[in-house]
Amino acid sequence: MADHTERLVNLRKWNIGVGGLHLVQGILILVLSSSFAIPIVAAVQTGPPGAEGSLTTASKTFFSFNFAIAIAIFLFLAAGDHLLTSVTPIRAWYERNLLRGVNYARWIEYSVSASIMILLICLLNGINNFYALVAIFGVNAAMILFGLVMEQVNQNRDSVNWWPFIFGCIAGIIPWIAIVIGLYSAATDNTTVNGVPVNADGVPPFVYGIVISLFLLFNCFALNQWLQYRGKGKFADYLYGEKVYLVLSLVAKSALAWQIFGGTLASPS
C-alpha cells in the first residue's frame, strides 16, 4: 500500500503537469490563431424521393467549423480531465479506479476529444459532409468506449477477454479508411475547367504529415492497451500504462494542434 501511495502521488504530479500544458496550449491557440473555418454541408431533400424530371435535393450549409475553437476544446477537455482528477475530490475516485485497473475519466474524455480530433483530420482531407461527420464522430467515440469496456470486463479475470479490444480496433479503422480515400482522391484529382486544373495546388504537405503522424499516434494508444493486457514487463503494472497514456495524450493533441496551426491558423484568414 505504501508503494501504491507513493506512485499515486507521483502520478498526481504528472497529471498536474500534463493538464497544465494542455491548458496553456489551448489558450495560446485561441490567442494566436486566425478564424480559419470550413463550411459543413450536406444535401437536403426538397421533393418526393425518386421523383423524375425535377430536382429533389439541394445543398445546404449547416455551419462553419472553426478550427481554433475546435482545437481549444479538445485541449481544454484534456486539461479538465487531468486537473480535475488531481486537484479536486474526484482524485480519490480516480485513484480507487486505477487500483482496480480502470480509468473512467480517461475514456470519457477521449471519446469526445479524440472524436473532435478525427473530425479536424477529416475536414483537412475534404470530408465536410454533415451526415458523414456525425457518423465518423460516433464510430470514433464507440472505438474509445470499447477501450473502457475492455477494462471493465477484465477486472479480476485470470484470462483476458480480447473481444472489446478487437471490436474497438474494427470501429477505429473506419474513419481512417475514409480519410485515406479522401486524401488519395484529392491527390489524384485531374478535373479541369476550361483546361485549368481545379486542384492545381494539390494536397499541402502538412496534411500528409498530419495523417501519417496522427494515425501512428492513435495506434500507439491501442498498442499501450495491448501491452497492458499482454501483462509482461513494465506494462504489467497498470499505473505504468496510465503514465504512458498521459504522455501519448499530450504528444498526440500537441502534434495535431500545432501542425494545424502551422498549416492553416498562423496566417490571417
Side-chain angles (χ1 to χ4, degrees), residues 24-146:
V24 170
Q25 290 185 94
I27 294 170
L28 287 175
I29 287 291
L30 288 177
V31 171
L32 300 176
S33 295
S34 69
S35 57
F36 176 79
I38 290 179
I40 307 301
V41 302
V44 294
Q45 188 164 300
T46 59
E52 296 183 5
S54 63
L55 184 67
T56 59
T57 60
S59 180
K60 175 181 178 180
T61 299
F62 285 80
F63 57 91
S64 290
F65 197 97
N66 185 290
F67 271 50
I69 292 175
I71 292 171
I73 288 174
F74 74 66
L75 288 170
F76 289 152
L77 283 170
D81 173 20
H82 299 305
L83 295 176
L84 288 173
T85 54
S86 56
V87 298
T88 72
I90 295 177
R91 176 189 173 193
W93 168 78
Y94 164 70
E95 292 180 349
R96 282 198 306 271
N97 286 325
L98 290 183
L99 296 179
R100 293 168 48 221
V102 63
N103 182 354
Y104 295 97
R106 181 208 309 130
W107 299 114
I108 293 169
E109 181 248 301
Y110 284 2
S111 70
V112 181
S113 62
S115 299
I116 294 173
M117 292 168 72
I118 208 75
L119 292 188
L120 287 165
I121 300 170
C122 285
L123 288 166
L124 289 172
N125 286 278
I127 304 171
N128 68 330
N129 180 277
F130 177 70
Y131 311 136
L133 293 173
V134 169
I136 287 171
F137 185 99
V139 170
N140 195 78
M143 179 265 290
I144 298 295
L145 294 175
F146 272 121

Side-chain angles (χ1 to χ4, degrees), residues 132-254:
L133 293 173
V134 169
I136 287 171
F137 185 99
V139 170
N140 195 78
M143 179 265 290
I144 298 295
L145 294 175
F146 272 121
L148 173 56
V149 175
M150 180 71 178
E151 292 190 343
Q152 284 186 313
V153 302
N154 284 298
Q155 294 179 67
N156 303 316
R157 284 179 59 95
D158 294 328
S159 60
V160 178
N161 180 346
W162 287 102
W163 284 114
F165 183 85
I166 293 169
F167 293 149
C169 290
I170 293 171
I173 198 63
I174 302 302
W176 290 101
I177 292 174
I179 288 166
V180 170
I181 291 173
L183 181 63
Y184 176 79
S185 299
T188 59
D189 181 41
N190 296 315
T191 304
T192 61
V193 176
N194 298 324
V196 179
V198 173
N199 192 28
D201 294 333
V203 178
F206 85 92
V207 174
Y208 286 103
I210 286 173
V211 172
I212 294 170
S213 62
L214 268 297
F215 176 76
L216 293 174
L217 285 167
F218 268 48
N219 278 279
C220 284
F221 287 85
L223 177 61
N224 186 45
Q225 185 168 69
W226 180 79
L227 289 170
Q228 281 184 305
Y229 284 95
R230 185 168 173 266
K232 293 185 179 181
K234 292 182 179 180
F235 288 90
D237 179 0
Y238 185 84
L239 295 183
Y240 179 83
E242 174 68 5
K243 190 173 290 186
V244 174
Y245 277 125
L246 292 178
V247 174
L248 287 174
S249 177
L250 178 62
V251 172
K253 290 179 173 70
S254 301

